[in-house]
Amino acid sequence: MNNHMEIPWHEYTNKDSKVKIENASLTEKSSIIGRIGLMLLACGTGAWRVRSSMNTIASELNITCIADIGLTNISYTCIDGIESHAQSLSLHNTSVNTSKLARMEDFVYHFKDECKTCTCNEIHNQLDQIESIHSSYSPIILGLAAALACSCFTFLLGGGPIEMLCAFVGAGLGNALRMKLIKHNYTLFLNVAASVSLACLVYALLFNFLETYFGISTQHEAGYICSMLFIIPGFPFITSGIDLAKLDLRSGLERLAYAIIIILAATLTAWICALVLHLQPVDFVKLHIPTSTKLLLRLLTSFGGVFGFSIMFNSSKKIAASAGCIGAIANTLRLTLVDLSLPAAAAAFIGALAAGLLASMIKGNTGYPRIAITVPSIVIMVPGLYMYRAIYNLELTSTMYIGANWLIQSLLIVLALPMGLIFARILTDPSFRYCT
């Protein structure tokens, strides 16, 4: 039995009614506001953006809306000066869909001009069409997107062609399985554990094949970590920081907890796989590449990695390409600063700041949702390798100090990334400077 019942939105309306939404009952207006908020929340955007959109619609309908927003729940009250109407809405799962997010933001932006003369039922029909937008890509395409992202990620972390090849195959099959499990509504822990296990197993099998028949060095096994980096919860990590900055503590803490759950499930699964498959997170074989060539390869792999992650978030190809261009510049800047001996967290802050400023410029010209191009562009900066090494070493008594050091570095970088985006937003968006 399904534990979450569907909401019959059209039962809030009289299908034969010709009353325009601005003259409709408070219950009908409230159903529109709540549904818009819930659909935005389902796209993966933060509480601040959801509340802002709900307030925009409420203002157009001459009512006041007060909302308390979490990761999967919205409790809100609508007031028209005479009556009040309270509702509590819930999602059965959380995900990211930037294509639907772009449609929803466009719907909210044009609500005043295109929807105020519609009936409540007509507006729900429009929302039905937007809600029918599911993933634009098949599990195979999403598997290829993860393969591209993780193989590019491998190079940026120091891996070479062999690690990139093995990570490409492992991540591709792992994420394809994950998408299949999500499509059939399997629980979070199952899809994380199964997809990470498959990615590590495929990497190990391919690596052993290359080692046996082509005599490659055992040190190339280090890339198995990169094959599981498609699981990094970039959206909840970044949106949690933004929500906390706006004092949306409930949403911020819930998103952070959700991200930590995924990280712990993934890293513990990978640690068990490493023990079973006799893999160790050793250092990558050092690549000897001229500086100019390394810079060009960093630009190309940063673009490819961000493009792949963006496709995984169901972005259109144009949005993914825009995010890729931002990521290529911002991440290459970050890596160059690290090469110049700047602390990793400080470099991450500057990289995220640059990504946020570039996204503001692109948004002004294209109208793409800011979060749809900023988050993919800095997901590639999230220290997934550090996080895994931290858990791996903390599990071993002889290397607990090393694990604690990796964990501290990971936390500093994770804190620096949303801070960079927040400061970019403060500099470019006056409305973000206040707690109103």
Side-chain angles (χ1 to χ4, degrees):
M1 178 179 177
N2 194 337
N3 201 38
H4 293 266
M5 300 178 68
E6 295 294 329
I7 303 174
W9 293 109
H10 289 274
E11 292 186 10
Y12 285 95
T13 70
N14 182 351
K15 295 183 179 180
D16 298 323
S17 175
K18 302 299 181 183
V19 177
K20 306 305 179 187
I21 186 61
E22 58 184 350
N23 298 318
S25 67
L26 181 61
T27 300
E28 290 179 307
K29 292 179 179 179
S30 177
S31 72
I32 296 294
I33 294 169
R35 188 177 186 186
I36 289 172
L38 196 65
M39 289 176 66
L40 283 165
L41 192 65
C43 295
T45 193
W48 182 78
R49 174 56 61 192
V50 174
R51 183 179 291 103
S52 176
S53 298
M54 293 175 73
N55 288 343
T56 297
I57 303 300
S59 297
E60 295 298 333
L61 299 179
N62 299 314
I63 60 178
T64 300
C65 179
I66 303 167
D68 180 28
I69 302 167
L71 175 65
T72 58
N73 302 87
I74 299 177
S75 298
Y76 71 104
T77 302
C78 291
I79 307 168
D80 65 2
I82 300 174
E83 298 180 304
S84 65
H85 182 83
Q87 280 192 314
S88 182
L89 306 174
S90 177
L91 298 169
H92 76 277
N93 200 356
T94 182
S95 61
V96 178
N97 190 325
T98 53
S99 292
K100 186 183 291 187
L101 176 62
R103 286 284 301 274
M104 285 302 302
E105 289 204 357
D106 187 65
F107 177 88
V108 172
Y109 182 79
H110 292 101
F111 183 87
K112 179 179 180 180
D113 300 321
E114 298 180 2
C115 297
K116 286 187 70 174
T117 57
C118 298
T119 66
C120 184
N121 191 60
E122 289 171 342
I123 295 174
H124 277 302
N125 286 334
Q126 293 182 45
L127 294 174
D128 286 341
Q129 294 177 3
I130 298 175
E131 198 160 31
S132 66
I133 301 174
H134 298 295
S135 177
S136 302
Y137 308 101
S138 67
I140 294 176
I141 297 298
L142 292 172
L144 289 172
L148 172 64
C150 290
S151 62
C152 290
F153 215 151
T154 303
F155 175 80
L156 295 169
L157 291 170
I162 294 173
E163 292 93 341
M164 292 175 69
L165 172 63
C166 294
F168 183 94
V169 179
L173 293 174
N175 196 52
L177 173 63
R178 175 171 163 262
M179 291 299 104
K180 280 285 189 180
L181 294 175
I182 290 175
K183 186 176 181 180
H184 293 288
N185 296 317
Y186 283 99
T187 187
L188 176 67
F189 281 93
L190 176 58
N191 72 57
V192 170
S195 58
V196 168
S197 298
L198 180 61
C200 291
L201 176 61
V202 170
Y203 186 101
L205 291 175
L206 182 55
F207 170 74
N208 287 332
F209 172 81
L210 295 174
E211 183 184 23
T212 301
Y213 293 99
F214 295 92
I216 65 171
S217 169
T218 56
Q219 198 168 358
H220 292 295
E221 72 181 21
Y224 79 93
I225 305 171
C226 302
S227 68
M228 54 168 274
L229 294 180
F230 61 86
I231 209 72
I232 289 175
F235 251 82
F237 255 139
I238 305 306
T239 53
S240 70
I242 295 173
D243 282 345
L244 290 172
K246 296 294 290 184
L247 293 182
D248 274 310
L249 297 182
R250 177 189 171 192
S251 176
L253 293 174
E254 287 183 12
R255 288 172 185 277
L256 181 60
Y258 174 74
I260 291 173
I261 288 171
I262 294 176
I263 291 295
L264 289 176
T267 52
L268 288 173
T269 300
W271 175 68
I272 294 171
C273 289
L275 294 179
V276 173
L277 300 171
H278 305 291
L279 299 170
Q280 292 183 351
V282 295
D283 293 332
F284 289 106
V285 177
K286 190 173 180 59
L287 299 175
H288 299 284
I289 303 175
T291 303
S292 57
T293 304
K294 181 186 289 187
L295 182 64
L296 177 61
L297 290 175
R298 280 179 173 176
L299 285 167
L300 292 174
T301 51
S302 293
F303 176 88
V306 173
F307 184 87
F309 276 119
S310 193
I311 293 296
M312 288 168 60
F313 297 147
N314 201 42
S315 299
S316 67
K317 295 180 180 64
K318 289 183 178 179
I319 292 179
S322 298
C325 291
I326 293 172
I329 297 170
N331 193 51
T332 302
L333 171 63
R334 176 185 70 90
L335 293 172
T336 302
L337 292 174
V338 172
D339 288 344
L340 295 174
S341 300
L342 192 70
F349 174 84
I350 294 173
L353 177 65
L357 295 174
L358 290 169
S360 296
M361 295 171 56
I362 290 179
K363 177 178 172 57
N365 295 323
T366 63
Y368 296 149
R370 192 190 309 263
I371 197 170
I373 51 180
T374 53
V375 174
S377 67
I378 68 170
V379 164
I380 205 165
M381 303 180 193
V382 174
L385 176 64
Y386 290 9
M387 293 176 184
Y388 173 72
R389 284 182 171 175
I391 298 298
Y392 181 92
N393 286 288
L394 285 172
E395 293 292 341
L396 304 174
T397 305
S398 60
T399 56
M400 286 185 67
Y401 176 79
I402 297 174
N405 184 46
W406 282 115
L407 182 61
I408 292 170
Q409 290 191 57
S410 301
L411 291 174
L412 289 174
I413 295 173
V414 166
L415 289 172
L417 291 175
M419 287 299 295
L421 285 186
I422 290 165
F423 272 89
R425 193 67 178 269
I426 289 171
L427 291 172
T428 58
D429 185 357
S431 66
F432 200 79
R433 300 169 190 171
Y434 307 98
C435 290
T436 56

